[in-house]
Every structure is written in structure tokens, then in C-alpha cells.
Amino acid sequence: MSLLQNLGKYLKNQPKIYKVPNTNLVRVDMKILKIIPLVFILTACASASVIPLDKSTIQITARAAPACGGQGAEKVALNQAAVETLKRGYNKFIILNTSASNNVKVAGYTPVYSTTTANASIYGNNLYGTANTSYYGGNPIYAGSHNQGLIVKMFKKNSNAIDARKMLGPDWEKSLQKQTINCL
């Protein structure tokens, strides 16, 4: 079961929005607000482009978000190779050449904020107290992408080549219809 399927199952079992009785107010469960950015990051994390080099050879360039890592870019490129092979009327493919790059960097940091709590007691003429300050934020914000390039030669029959249908799995036909690419 994929991460997104598990996430969907989790959210189905969680109360999401509550109407506050006798008011026009609603209360949103904070668990949803914590998960929404994760869903956007993981579902829109990759893209691929294809350039035909000749009738049976293509160049694929895949880009994946920092959260996907280099392996995510590799997976996107390899899946795109299988999809393009089938869409172009071929069955199998081999990879003639590869290239990879990583331009991921820290673009900045989230704001830092603090919360201070204090307690004080008076005993006679003396004041005793404690204070505790907690700091939050300061997390890095990553930008850039992991990139993977492939030169792919496609074949109708070749016993040593990768079978595109097997690469995509039993639901390979759905992969040909999909418009969204993700790195999961």
C-alpha cells in the first residue's frame, strides 16, 4: 500500500471539521492542517520531458523535488521510459546513457518564534520564580531539484531488453493514461 493510500485511510478515520453548537463557528482538526503541505509536496513533486532523437530513440529528462531525492528522479525517468516505449508502439527498451545532477540547496529558514512561561511566588518579603522559554522554527526551506537524464533505445522484440509492461506492473494500462507524475 502506498504512502498516499495510507494517508487517505488515516484521514478517513479522523474527524475533520466540527460545527460548534449554537454558533456559526466551525473548528478544524489540526491534524489535517499538518498533513496538507505533505500531500502537496508528495503529489506534485516531479515532472518529465521527452525529446525524440530518432524513430526508436528518445531522451528523457526527469526532475524531482528535494523531498523525492535522487532515487525519486531515477524512478520517474525509468517509469517515463516504459510509458513512452508503449505509447510509441514498442514493447521493450534499453538505456544507452544516463546523467544525473542535483541543484538542491537551502533557500532560507522558517521564522523563529518563542514562548515563555513563568511562575512566581511570594514568601514574606521574597519573590521566587522560574521561567522557561521554548524556541520553535528555524527549519531549513529547500529549493531546487534532483535531475535524471536517460537516452532510451526502444525495440519491438529483444530478449535482453527491459519489458515495459513488466516495469509498470499489472496496472500498466493506467500508467499510460496518467497525467500526474509523482516520485513515490
Side-chain angles (χ1 to χ4, degrees), residues 16-20 25-29:
K16 296 160 188 67
I17 299 176
Y18 306 93
K19 176 147 179 23
V20 179
L25 302 174
V26 293
R27 186 178 73 125
V28 178
D29 189 344

Side-chain angles (χ1 to χ4, degrees), residues 60 74 77-78 95-101 147-152:
I60 296 173
E74 291 171 357
L78 197 54
I95 298 168
L96 300 176
N97 196 4
T98 67
S99 64
S101 65
N147 306 310
Q148 179 69 50
L150 300 178
I151 303 295
V152 178

Side-chain angles (χ1 to χ4, degrees), residues 92-144:
K92 297 186 175 196
F93 67 94
I94 60 172
I95 298 168
L96 300 176
N97 196 4
T98 67
S99 64
S101 65
N102 170 357
N103 64 11
V104 175
K105 61 184 179 277
V106 175
Y109 295 89
T110 60
V112 176
Y113 62 96
S114 64
T115 303
T116 301
T117 56
N119 293 314
S121 301
I122 298 175
Y123 294 105
N125 290 333
N126 296 321
L127 176 66
Y128 298 96
T130 60
N132 184 22
T133 301
S134 299
Y135 295 92
Y136 304 94
N139 299 317
I141 300 169
Y142 295 100

Side-chain angles (χ1 to χ4, degrees), residues 44-50 60-65 68-69 72-74 76-77 144-149 181 183:
C45 69
S47 65
S49 60
V50 180
I60 296 173
T61 304
R63 292 161 222 63
C68 296
E74 291 171 357
V76 168
S145 63
H146 295 276
N147 306 310
Q148 179 69 50
I181 299 174
C183 62

Side-chain angles (χ1 to χ4, degrees), residues 54-88:
D54 67 31
K55 187 177 176 184
S56 63
T57 308
I58 57 174
Q59 174 183 321
I60 296 173
T61 304
R63 292 161 222 63
C68 296
Q71 290 179 334
E74 291 171 357
K75 181 180 177 188
V76 168
L78 197 54
N79 281 344
Q80 192 66 34
V83 166
E84 290 297 323
T85 297
L86 295 172
K87 281 184 175 180
R88 294 167 189 270

Side-chain angles (χ1 to χ4, degrees), residues 39-51:
V39 171
F40 283 115
I41 288 170
L42 295 177
T43 57
C45 69
S47 65
S49 60
V50 180
I51 300 172

Side-chain angles (χ1 to χ4, degrees), residues 157-171:
K157 294 179 183 179
N158 182 336
S159 61
N160 294 328
I162 299 167
D163 187 311
R165 286 176 182 83
K166 286 183 183 174
M167 171 65 66
L168 295 172
D171 293 332

